[in-house]
Structures are given as structure tokens and as C-alpha cells.
Amino acid sequence: GVIMAWSGQYPEAKASLREAEELYSGLGLRPPALVLGNVLAMLGEYDAVTEYVESYQARGGESDDKPNDARAYLWLAYVALARGNFLDTKRLCLNAITAFEDCGLIAFAGIAYSLLALVVRWLGDSGTAWLYLQKGLHIHQESGQLGPLGNWLCAPFTAVLLADIGRLEEAVSAYAYAASHPMIANSVWYEDVAGKVIQAAGSKLESQTINKARRRGLECNPAKMAEELLEIVDEIAAEYK
């Protein structure tokens, strides 16, 4: 189920993880990781995410489980953002960052910072958004915990911020690069919070320009594209320091 989730096979992951949870429950145990919450979020089943997280935490009693506390905050932040509850999203992201840092999952704190950038953008503070995004990308790069996967997971947030400042071709390329990974391509959540923004921005470009930008994102060497995006973010963030 975990492998399916990280491969973007969300319906299959959901079925497998549900079965695993039933087996754990039959043994009187709680599953060791809150992966199903992420899968439900990626499927766009936002009510189910909230119900699942609440149920999972209730089964934990008073146990000290910082990794899953952190994951719970992040999955709930996904739901809050998709629903447009930006202040709740900001609070949940900050809680997730603290919890991920406390338990040593630093790369995931980087993802939470990158998500926080998107939230702050919606709240109208573009300068702080770029600074949060820069911080998130550098944390991810320096930790190395997620390898190249973190580049794909954060690229949609970079794309949205680029679209905001009129760098539309780069935004389209960045999102196409992200969507070359099935975790993004098959995600309802990423489409809801970023894909639709990029689609609207791209509609301002001529079709030939859009196709060229998409092709570049899809065909560019992944490591090179990640490096280019980080350089762009560093350059723009420097203007707000």
C-alpha cells in the first residue's frame, strides 16, 4: 500500500491500506504510519481524511507518537487548503513543521514550509510566500531524506508562485515537470490547489507557447529542472530579504 501510494496508484493504495488496517485492528494494534490519510487527500476525499485522522488519533490513546502527529497536521492542512480555509491551513502547517522537526523528519518539514508558502500567497503576502518556499526547498535539499521525490512534490507550489508574478511559461514548465511524476499527475488534491491555477494562467498564452513550455517541463532532466527552479526561487526570494 505504501509503495502504491508513492507510485501514485491511489485507488489501489487505498484498498491495500484499508486491508492492512483491518489486519492490525484484528491484532489489537494501531498501524505504524498514517499513510492512508495522505492517500485519501490525494484522491480528493477530504471528509474521509478528517474522519480517518480523528479515528486514528483516538486509537492512539496517550501514546507519544510525534511522527504521526506531524503527518496528521499535514494531511489536515491539505484538506483545509483545498477547502479555502487559509488561516486553519497556516496553523496546521506551523504545527506540522514543529512536529516534523521534533521527530527528525526534516524533509517533511521542508514540504510543510513549501505548502505554507502557498497558504501565505492566498493570504496576500507574496514576499513572505517566496521566503517560506525558499526555506522549504533548501531544507529538503540539505536533508536528502526524500531524495529527488521532494523536488516533484514541491514544484507545483513553485509553479503557482511563478504564475502570480507573470512568469507564465516557467510556471507551466514547472507544473509539467511536477506532473511527470504519477504522485502529482494522479492527484486530485494537487489539481485542486495548483493545477487549476496553472491551467488558468496558461490560458493567457498562445497554444504553441503552452505546448513548448509543457514539453520542456516533461523532457528536461529532472535533476537539472530541480536545480533551475531552486535558483529561480533563490533569485526572487532575495528581493524580499
Side-chain angles (χ1 to χ4, degrees), residues 168-181:
L168 303 183
E169 291 179 53
E170 291 168 308
V172 171
S173 290
Y175 195 80
Y177 154 70
S180 68
H181 195 290

Side-chain angles (χ1 to χ4, degrees), residues 90 117 119-132 240:
K90 183 177 180 179
V119 178
V120 172
R121 171 255 187 192
W122 281 111
L123 291 171
D125 189 350
S126 60
T128 302
W130 282 105
L131 294 174
Y132 276 139
Y240 295 101

Side-chain angles (χ1 to χ4, degrees), residues 137 155 158 162 174 177 225-234:
L137 295 181
T158 305
L162 285 170
Y177 154 70
M225 177 62 81
E227 185 178 331
E228 286 183 11
L229 291 176
L230 184 58
E231 288 176 359
I232 290 170
V233 171
D234 281 340

Side-chain angles (χ1 to χ4, degrees), residues 159-160 162-164 166-173 175 194-214:
V160 171
L162 285 170
D164 276 353
R167 296 174 67 159
L168 303 183
E169 291 179 53
E170 291 168 308
V172 171
S173 290
Y175 195 80
K196 291 175 181 177
V197 176
I198 301 306
Q199 184 177 3
S203 67
K204 300 174 184 176
L205 299 171
E206 295 181 357
S207 59
Q208 184 177 358
T209 303
I210 296 173
N211 291 335
K212 181 179 178 181
R214 284 177 180 157

Side-chain angles (χ1 to χ4, degrees), residues 111-195:
I111 290 176
Y113 267 115
S114 301
L115 179 61
L116 185 58
L118 205 59
V119 178
V120 172
R121 171 255 187 192
W122 281 111
L123 291 171
D125 189 350
S126 60
T128 302
W130 282 105
L131 294 174
Y132 276 139
L133 180 61
Q134 181 188 41
K135 186 174 181 68
L137 295 181
H138 277 279
I139 288 174
H140 157 65
Q141 290 288 91
E142 291 161 13
S143 75
Q145 289 176 342
L146 284 171
L149 179 59
N151 298 327
W152 277 293
L153 296 177
C154 294
F157 310 142
T158 305
V160 171
L161 265 62
L162 285 170
D164 276 353
I165 60 173
R167 296 174 67 159
L168 303 183
E169 291 179 53
E170 291 168 308
V172 171
S173 290
Y175 195 80
Y177 154 70
S180 68
H181 195 290
M183 282 196 75
I184 287 84
N186 299 335
S187 169
V188 174
W189 181 80
Y190 270 106
E191 176 65 17
D192 283 345
V193 303

Side-chain angles (χ1 to χ4, degrees), residues 14-32 36 52 56 59:
K14 177 183 173 181
S16 185
L17 290 168
R18 287 287 192 199
E19 184 177 355
E21 295 229 341
E22 290 176 7
L23 293 171
Y24 274 108
S25 180
L27 295 169
L29 301 172
R30 191 171 72 149
L36 182 56
Y52 172 73
Y56 189 96
R59 282 179 280 167

